[in-house]
Amino acid sequence: MNKIEPTVTPPAKASGPASSEAVIVPPAPPPAPSMAETAARAAEARPGESDPRKLDQLSRIEEKAARIEEKFARYEAVLTRAETSLERSAQKVDLAAGALDFAGLREEFTALRQRVNATPRFGALLLTGVVTALITVLLTVLALKYGVPGLLGPVVRP
């Protein structure tokens, strides 16, 4: 189906009432046949009626197309191998990243265990409390008996 496009013409000066001119657009020329259509027509031609040069040219074109298809197949195989290799590498990286995460967690747990083991246990805390209480009582008794020089005189007389 041909597309009809209007042409733009400068407006004519109207001397009287509005003039109505019809714009006539010639139909577009038919499109040129593509190379594929030309090759298809050449393939449909009967060998007996065709020129030998045309058949030779057609066979060269077919050979070239076959070589291009072979190259495409080779490139496709190479790209498929590369894609497979890339997928394998990605899986290895994922596994390595997972292993690194576990190693990091293991190290953090080990450090936390060492800190917990370094904290004093109940016996050490109890001993520290008793010693602190005894020292506090002793210092309080001494402060009451002898006083604190400059702050407090002796409260209890010997």
Side-chain angles (χ1 to χ4, degrees):
M1 181 172 163
N2 292 335
K3 183 176 178 182
I4 300 175
E5 297 181 6
T7 58
V8 179
T9 58
K13 293 183 182 177
S15 58
S19 62
S20 59
E21 294 181 16
V23 177
I24 300 174
V25 178
S34 66
M35 292 183 72
E37 291 174 355
T38 307
R41 287 182 189 157
E44 290 175 359
R46 294 186 193 131
E49 299 175 2
S50 295
D51 189 16
R53 286 182 290 163
K54 289 181 180 178
L55 288 177
D56 187 38
Q57 185 177 11
L58 182 60
S59 66
R60 283 196 307 263
I61 291 172
E62 288 175 349
E63 288 173 5
K64 192 165 200 165
R67 285 194 303 266
I68 291 171
E69 287 176 2
E70 288 173 8
K71 281 184 182 180
F72 178 75
R74 283 195 302 268
Y75 285 128
E76 189 175 20
V78 167
L79 289 176
T80 303
R81 286 194 305 267
E83 182 181 7
T84 305
S85 175
L86 184 63
E87 286 176 4
R88 278 194 313 257
S89 298
Q91 289 174 353
K92 287 180 182 178
V93 167
D94 285 343
L95 289 174
L100 289 176
D101 288 343
F102 287 132
L105 287 174
R106 205 174 302 127
E107 289 175 6
E108 288 183 34
F109 280 129
T110 303
L112 183 62
R113 170 86 43 213
Q114 289 173 351
R115 287 183 65 189
V116 167
N117 288 337
T119 57
R121 300 282 188 246
F122 180 73
L125 291 175
L126 186 64
L127 179 63
T128 304
V130 170
V131 169
T132 303
L134 290 175
I135 292 175
T136 304
V137 167
L138 180 66
L139 290 175
T140 304
V141 169
L142 290 175
L144 290 174
K145 190 172 185 179
Y146 299 107
V148 179
L151 292 176
L152 180 68
V155 176
V156 179
R157 307 267 173 199

